[in-house]
Amino acid sequence: MKQGIFTVLQNRPLTADVWEMRLGGDTDAITAPGQFVNITVPGLFLRRPISVCDCEEGELTLVYKVVGKGTDALSRLTEGEELDLLTGLGNGYDLMAAGENPLLLGGGVGVPPLYWLAKKLTNAGKQVSVVLGFNRREEVFCEEAFRALGAKVAVTTVDGSYGTRGFVTDALPRDYTSVYTCGPLPMLKAVYKATRGPAFFSFEERMGCGFGACMGCTQRTKEGYKRICKDGPVLRREEILWED
Amino acid sequence: MGRLNVELCGIPLDNPVIPASGTFGYGWEFHELYDLNILGTFSFKGTTREPRFGNPTPRIAEAPSGMLNAVGLQNPGVEKVIAEELPRLKTHFHKQVMANVSGFSVEEFAETCALLDKEPQVGWLEVNISCPNVHGGGMSFGTDPKAAAAVTKAVKKVTRKPVILKLSPNVMDITEIARAVESEGADGVSLINTLMGMRIDLKSRRPVLKNRTGGLSGPAVFPVALRMVWDVAGAVKIPVIGMGGVSTAEDVIEMMLAGATAVEVGAQNLRDPFAAKTIIEELPGVMDRLGIENLREIIGGAR
């Protein structure tokens, strides 16, 4: 983990409430797709955790949905403004278990962390399949970006206004060697049931610190209590214990 | 002695800055960021006899100039703390640590403290009779002077280490509790624990916290904490540790002027993991600016 000051390079809307922010700064601590950064938002006490959508030497891309005061404040930042970030948080996805045909399943604002993952996997010569799930046509984002990487991309919408009608689990390819997913809890549960083999699930939870100190985000697993911020956010299929 | 040195219940501290329990784990996460030996000491995560998961999530919420938590004393249990956390801590922290202990009965407090009493790494026992987030224990001992006195008496019997009672602000008169624990031999008191609060999500129209209520901490509570430190320091002869919303070197000095011998830093560690380090580094400069030769001379100086 590192603390650093980042400069907003660009901040623009992708849909009505999903924004893309590019930031310049020291990205050395960011080592794996699926990790997140924790951002000090002017006027708020707690930092806001946002997953890394893309990362290159000195430049970081975050794609976030405006859901409350924190993300609303982020969307109002303009080029040149500075932000205090904790970077390199969380375990990230394990790329070693991908096999030759990894399947990436993203739902809504769970799509962004899969982009950098898809980039790494396609660069490693893997045949990557991606299924992106949204509620309706107007909410679709990042589809072209995944295609540009050379991934095989399918889109689902709940109302059927674009792509396949239904959820990501309604557009699963027949063959794949591993599953990487991020999205709302009901989607993660559905993916867990509908897929097989090595699988990695990224969880979301309200966090205090984001670096393992406050125990605010702990979840029970088959392998004991795990802090989503530090021991996660990515959990393996074998360790997940669904509650309720 | 240096300008920052103070003494807490007979044990010297290089400086009065102590990361507060529940915001610093057992030190490991911060050891990866800076040398913990710069701290006066730190108070480790509230520990109970049995392992605890705590409350269901969400158990963290934003508040104006602060935060709510309803973690509910998640910890691995005292035996694992002694077997695993203390040996690991020893490899990078060479001072005595403050052991924060909680419980659900007088006997449990005493049993946990008796086990920690045997550990040379433990300098002080900070007995938490003020956690607002657990049911059938925790704060109920800290809101009744008789129960607070009973816990103090039971713990004092099983240890020769200094016993510091951590007090709840969720009471009519905190000085009454402070006097009750002092009368049973408490060596110090620390205050304040968090103030009970809640938030409601406007979209779902449900409490944000699954536990409904949580403890408020952060800069929002600083003036409340300062007032209580002032009152308690005037009501007892034992040392007072001030805490509640401390975020800067100036806040440390303000707490000490109110009568605090040492100062705990809590929520700020979560927002800024380097907070305690920064405060310690900035203290000398702030003291110069304010004409303070050493911190010992300002304890209770505003009274």
Side-chain angles (χ1 to χ4, degrees):
Chain A
M1 176 175 100
K2 260 192 185 177
Q3 182 177 25
I5 301 298
F6 283 68
T7 308
V8 177
L9 303 175
Q10 191 183 37
N11 194 19
R12 64 182 182 113
L14 299 180
T15 70
D17 55 7
V18 173
W19 288 66
E20 179 190 75
M21 186 188 289
R22 288 195 303 115
L23 292 163
D26 177 0
T27 54
D28 285 357
I30 303 170
T31 55
Q35 287 184 324
F36 65 96
V37 297
N38 214 1
I39 308 176
T40 301
V41 182
L44 295 173
F45 187 75
L46 294 171
R47 289 171 183 263
R48 292 299 187 269
I50 309 280
S51 64
V52 173
C53 175
D54 194 10
C55 181
E56 285 179 22
E57 179 76 50
E59 191 177 318
L60 178 65
T61 304
L62 307 175
V63 171
Y64 58 97
K65 185 176 179 178
V66 175
V67 291
K69 277 186 190 168
T71 41
D72 179 63
L74 282 182
S75 73
R76 292 170 195 280
L77 295 171
T78 55
E79 198 181 311
E81 288 192 79
E82 290 188 333
L83 282 174
D84 177 330
L85 264 69
L86 299 178
T87 57
L89 302 176
N91 56 357
Y93 288 111
D94 175 7
L95 278 70
M96 302 302 285
E100 285 312 303
N101 305 102
L103 170 60
L104 280 49
L105 305 170
V109 78
V111 166
L114 300 181
Y115 177 74
W116 193 29
L117 175 66
K119 196 175 182 181
K120 291 236 174 201
L121 292 170
T122 49
N123 284 345
K126 311 290 186 189
Q127 297 293 312
V128 177
S129 294
V130 182
V131 184
L132 308 176
F134 302 94
N135 287 312
R136 52 188 161 272
R137 173 187 283 269
E138 295 73 31
E139 295 180 10
V140 176
F141 63 90
C142 274
E143 182 190 2
E144 285 315 310
F146 280 98
R147 285 196 204 285
L149 295 175
K152 191 178 161 208
V153 182
V155 176
T156 64
T157 51
V158 177
D159 69 356
S161 54
Y162 189 77
T164 305
R165 177 190 294 269
F167 300 95
V168 292
T169 44
D170 293 313
L172 297 179
R174 215 184 54 191
D175 297 311
Y176 49 88
T177 52
S178 58
V179 177
Y180 295 85
T181 186
C182 184
L185 200 57
M187 183 194 118
L188 297 186
K189 282 185 185 174
V191 167
Y192 183 90
K193 282 190 186 134
T195 62
R196 60 192 186 280
F200 303 89
F201 298 76
S202 183
F203 284 81
E204 193 172 50
E205 188 50 78
R206 279 187 188 252
M207 294 174 185
C209 63
F211 53 91
C214 75
M215 314 286 160
C217 61
T218 308
Q219 189 169 315
R220 288 187 179 89
T221 75
K222 288 177 183 166
E223 297 171 10
Y225 304 156
K226 301 265 170 136
R227 297 162 295 180
I228 292 303
C229 70
K230 178 94 174 178
D231 309 311
V234 179
L235 299 182
R236 288 172 290 112
R237 181 194 293 281
E238 307 81 72
E239 61 186 329
I240 296 173
L241 190 65
W242 300 108
E243 297 194 57
D244 305 319
Chain B
M1 275 183 128
R3 301 176 70 194
L4 304 188
N5 294 58
V6 294
E7 192 185 277
L8 182 62
C9 307
I11 302 175
L13 295 179
D14 290 336
N15 62 68
V17 179
I18 305 173
S21 180
T23 66
F24 216 73
Y26 294 91
W28 190 256
E29 290 73 24
F30 292 86
H31 145 70
E32 293 173 350
L33 302 177
Y34 63 86
D35 179 6
L36 298 187
N37 295 293
I38 65 163
L39 300 169
T41 181
F42 75 91
S43 181
F44 70 43
K45 175 73 187 149
T47 296
T48 51
R49 190 176 57 192
E50 309 301 331
R52 283 179 56 84
F53 173 75
N55 290 318
T57 58
R59 54 194 197 185
I60 298 285
E62 176 84 26
S65 296
M67 60 178 285
L68 291 169
N69 93 81
V71 171
L73 296 174
Q74 183 191 337
N75 79 94
V78 66
E79 284 175 17
K80 208 163 179 180
V81 167
I82 290 171
E84 293 176 17
E85 295 294 347
L86 287 180
R88 185 165 75 153
L89 178 63
K90 199 174 190 171
T91 62
H92 58 270
F93 187 57
H94 312 306
K95 298 180 175 182
Q96 287 189 305
V97 69
M98 188 177 288
N100 187 286
V101 172
S102 201
F104 296 83
S105 68
V106 172
E107 295 72 29
E108 188 190 339
F109 273 108
E111 282 174 40
T112 307
C113 286
L115 291 172
L116 289 164
D117 177 66
K118 298 190 183 76
E119 298 303 315
Q121 274 172 274
V122 172
W124 311 255
L125 292 165
E126 184 180 50
V127 180
N128 177 9
I129 52 169
S130 45
C131 179
N133 294 324
V134 294
H135 307 278
M139 194 171 80
S140 60
F141 292 100
T143 52
D144 170 15
K146 286 198 186 83
V151 172
T152 310
K153 190 176 179 182
V155 171
K156 281 297 289 180
K157 260 187 200 159
V158 300
T159 184
R160 297 173 76 170
K161 295 186 193 290
V163 174
I164 295 165
L165 276 291
K166 184 166 175 178
L167 305 184
S168 172
N170 303 301
V171 291
M172 288 298 291
D173 180 5
I174 195 167
T175 64
E176 189 186 2
I177 312 287
R179 280 192 299 260
V181 302
E182 183 184 40
S183 71
E184 288 297 344
D187 300 283
V189 286
S190 58
L191 60 135
I192 56 174
N193 204 320
T194 54
L195 286 147
M196 207 194 255
M198 68 178 285
R199 297 301 303 269
I200 291 171
D201 183 291
L202 298 181
K203 285 180 192 156
S204 69
R205 302 188 184 182
R206 300 293 307 155
V208 172
L209 299 170
K210 195 78 169 273
N211 189 53
R212 186 172 66 79
T213 61
L216 176 66
S217 59
V221 310
F222 180 74
V224 177
L226 188 77
R227 190 275 290 177
M228 291 190 174
V229 166
W230 176 288
D231 285 354
V232 168
V236 298
K237 294 191 174 62
I238 52 180
V240 175
I241 303 177
M243 78 182 101
V246 173
S247 315
T248 63
E250 284 86 349
D251 294 344
V252 170
I253 289 170
E254 204 171 333
M255 275 288 183
M256 295 185 80
L257 286 170
T261 296
V263 177
E264 292 190 27
V265 179
Q268 192 66 17
N269 293 311
L270 306 182
R271 176 184 158 83
D272 171 11
F274 296 95
K277 178 176 190 277
T278 304
I279 289 172
I280 291 165
E281 287 169 354
E282 289 183 353
L283 266 171
V286 175
M287 289 163 65
D288 287 344
R289 182 155 56 76
L290 298 173
I292 297 168
E293 180 52 39
N294 73 70
L295 288 178
R296 294 178 300 286
E297 75 186 22
I298 66 160
I299 297 170
R303 307 189 63 84

